[in-house]
Amino acid sequence: MAAMGTLSRVVRLSSCIGRSRRLIFNSTQRRGIASCIDPAHGLSDEQKEFQKMAFDFAAHEMSPHMAEWDEKEIFPVETMRKAAQLGFGGIYVQPEVGGSGLSRLDTSVIFEALSTGCVSTTAYISIHNMCNWMIDTFGNTEQREKFCPELCTMDKFASYCLTEPGSGSDAASLLTTAKLEGDHYILNGSKAFISGGGDTDVYIVMCRTGRKGPKGISCVVVEKDTPGLSFGKKEKKVGWNSQPTRAVILEDCHVPVTNRLGQEGQGFNIAMRGLNGGRINIASCSLGAAHACVQLARDHLLVRKQFGETLSNNQFLQFKLAEMATKLVVSRLLLREAALALQESRSDAVSLCSMAKLFVTDECFNICNQALQMHGGYGYLKDYAVQQFVRDIRVHQILEGTNEVMRMIIARSLLSESG
């Protein structure tokens, strides 16, 4: 089995760096995770193995550098390539092109764990995985063999290019054009808020090859050194600072027809298929942040004293912590159900992905924000990780489809099936 092969590789790598199988299984207890919020509940032994490997990687390779990456706006290329050595560059990409061949649930488990070490970096890895999957799923043999292996190893990085300055939630109104001239498309237009823009190598671009509306949109792969491709200034952001964000500018950009994924007019469908998984991925990143913040809040309450006793003795704060833990577990259950629905191509998959993205990103932001409040003035200092979790996950309520759009999708499903 592909998944089993990947898991065996993960365990072998663990042994090479001196960590035993027993350490992997027992790390939950050593990390001090309360059993009622243990993210390993309900997982198979194999899933627990790579979950703990992801937690371990987050703790040793990401968390010690999270604040520095944020402050200095470092894109941690070498750290991400180390993650790719564990199979995290193409988690749900097929093994024949270098992927790990794991499921959507497996992917969610991994991204939740990695995000406890750095949300911003994990969020970029999730976008990279989505792009890699799009090529693997909709590309032909030549395209898959050309792009996927180097994306899986993260020797090359990918960016997803749908949003434009004038088309955010109304993605089907995009204006970037692709006119066919011989065996090339000539692309003109611009894309906004592109994660990795200017620093990545492969750009999955949605462009208009036909009439107005979603059926006139196609999907092409634009490589970094293509003439006519340029980038805007690096954006200054509230969070997500370990990944650069720039506009992608296309001016008479010549792209071979052989770089088109799927058929002309299929691009919007490809984009939405990618986003269904992207919504699970980004919600998983929020979940990891919330998990970390519940533990940070608990630990703070146990040591911080006011009025002669620790805050853990304050019933109001006890109740708040209980609510945070409950919302964390409920978010995880909904998210994993949505991941299963997507993996199984169930009829309720799109609605469940939208529900999960809406509920999890909203509630996990509230959890992190409450954790900051529990820290008092200390929570507002950059010496404390809780503030970075708050800043990094705020944008999850906006990207991959705003949470207002998620409500539209859910309502549309409910009303269309009411008869």
Side-chain angles (χ1 to χ4, degrees):
M1 297 288 289
M4 289 300 295
T6 301
L7 292 170
S8 297
R9 185 170 76 252
V10 169
V11 175
R12 286 199 303 273
L13 283 168
S14 176
S15 298
C16 289
I17 56 178
R19 301 183 181 97
S20 70
R21 184 182 179 93
R22 182 176 179 182
L23 181 149
I24 294 172
F25 278 106
N26 290 346
S27 59
T28 295
Q29 184 178 357
R30 287 177 28 256
R31 291 174 187 276
I33 299 175
S35 61
C36 63
I37 62 167
D38 188 351
H41 282 326
L43 300 182
S44 68
D45 287 346
E46 289 85 358
Q47 289 170 328
K48 290 177 182 177
E49 286 184 16
F50 56 73
Q51 181 192 56
K52 295 302 173 285
M53 182 59 63
F55 270 125
D56 190 57
F57 186 86
H60 290 86
E61 302 291 344
M62 300 172 78
S63 183
H65 310 290
M66 182 176 84
E68 181 186 11
W69 293 341
D70 175 69
E71 181 180 0
K72 297 180 180 179
E73 299 186 359
I74 296 170
F75 191 42
V77 168
E78 294 308 316
T79 298
M80 290 190 288
R81 285 177 176 155
K82 288 182 181 179
Q85 292 175 10
L86 301 179
F88 297 160
I91 300 172
Y92 51 108
V93 171
Q94 295 305 306
E96 57 262 30
V97 289
S100 297
L102 299 181
S103 72
R104 298 290 187 162
L105 174 57
D106 301 335
T107 303
S108 176
V109 168
I110 289 169
F111 286 146
E112 177 188 354
L114 290 178
S115 285
T116 62
C118 181
V119 170
S120 172
T121 303
T122 304
Y124 172 73
I125 294 173
S126 81
I127 295 167
H128 173 91
N129 268 264
M130 178 177 72
C131 293
N132 200 355
W133 173 84
M134 291 168 73
I135 296 173
D136 182 39
T137 301
F138 298 100
N140 57 37
T141 300
E142 290 75 16
Q143 291 166 336
R144 295 173 69 232
E145 291 178 349
K146 176 181 180 181
F147 295 111
C148 290
E150 288 186 307
L151 292 177
C152 288
T153 60
M154 286 189 160
D155 288 324
K156 290 188 175 179
F157 296 92
S159 292
Y160 178 82
C161 304
L162 175 63
T163 299
E164 296 184 359
S167 62
S169 294
D170 184 15
S173 68
L174 65 85
L175 297 176
T176 296
T177 59
K179 295 184 178 180
L180 184 61
E181 290 188 9
D183 58 358
H184 281 72
Y185 288 111
I186 312 301
L187 273 63
N188 281 283
S190 63
K191 300 293 180 177
F193 311 124
I194 304 306
S195 293
D199 283 49
T200 51
D201 309 282
V202 173
Y203 297 84
I204 310 299
V205 177
M206 308 306 154
C207 51
R208 191 164 300 284
T209 54
R211 56 190 172 90
K212 291 183 178 180
K215 294 184 179 179
I217 296 171
S218 298
C219 178
V220 299
V221 180
V222 181
E223 297 170 73
K224 185 173 184 178
D225 294 328
T226 303
L229 174 66
S230 62
F231 306 95
K233 66 178 180 63
K234 185 178 178 181
E235 304 288 0
K236 301 296 289 185
K237 307 190 296 291
V238 171
W240 270 31
N241 289 317
S242 71
Q243 49 170 294
T245 300
R246 296 183 179 90
V248 172
I249 302 164
L250 303 146
E251 298 175 301
D252 292 333
C253 184
H254 288 60
V255 179
V257 173
T258 53
N259 277 24
R260 186 189 68 224
L261 298 180
Q263 301 301 312
E264 279 199 0
Q266 195 181 355
F268 191 75
N269 176 260
I270 293 173
M272 294 302 105
R273 289 276 303 278
L275 282 179
N276 286 331
R279 288 163 185 162
I280 295 294
N281 295 345
I282 213 65
S284 302
C285 294
S286 288
L287 189 63
H291 180 81
C293 283
V294 167
Q295 294 189 95
L296 289 172
R298 179 204 60 184
D299 293 346
H300 184 73
L301 296 184
L302 287 169
V303 299
R304 174 67 168 163
K305 287 187 176 181
Q306 289 290 278
F307 306 106
E309 61 181 358
T310 61
L311 294 180
S312 60
N313 290 327
N314 183 294
Q315 190 179 62
F316 176 80
L317 294 177
Q318 291 174 1
F319 284 6
K320 283 293 183 182
L321 187 65
E323 291 170 3
M324 292 160 64
T326 301
K327 291 175 180 178
L328 173 69
V329 174
V330 171
S331 294
R332 184 178 290 129
L333 292 172
L334 174 58
L335 185 57
R336 291 182 179 180
E337 177 64 20
L340 285 171
L342 186 61
Q343 182 67 33
E344 296 168 359
S345 301
R346 285 166 25 193
S347 60
D348 61 348
V350 173
S351 295
L352 280 176
C353 289
S354 300
M355 289 178 181
K357 200 270 183 180
L358 166 64
F359 185 86
V360 175
T361 60
D362 275 355
E363 292 302 330
C364 287
F365 176 78
N366 292 338
I367 290 169
C368 294
N369 197 38
Q370 182 60 53
L372 189 155
Q373 186 72 16
M374 287 177 167
H375 279 72
Y378 292 105
Y380 208 63
L381 300 180
K382 288 196 173 181
D383 293 331
Y384 288 75
V386 65
Q387 53 76 32
Q388 187 172 337
F389 284 118
V390 171
R391 289 187 292 109
D392 279 343
I393 71 166
R394 178 58 182 88
V395 74
H396 297 184
Q397 295 165 285
I398 299 171
L399 49 77
E400 309 289 40
T402 67
N403 284 5
E404 290 73 23
V405 170
M406 297 304 98
R407 290 174 171 88
M408 291 168 56
I409 293 171
I410 297 162
R412 186 186 307 134
S413 175
L414 287 167
L415 294 171
S416 66
E417 297 178 10
S418 62

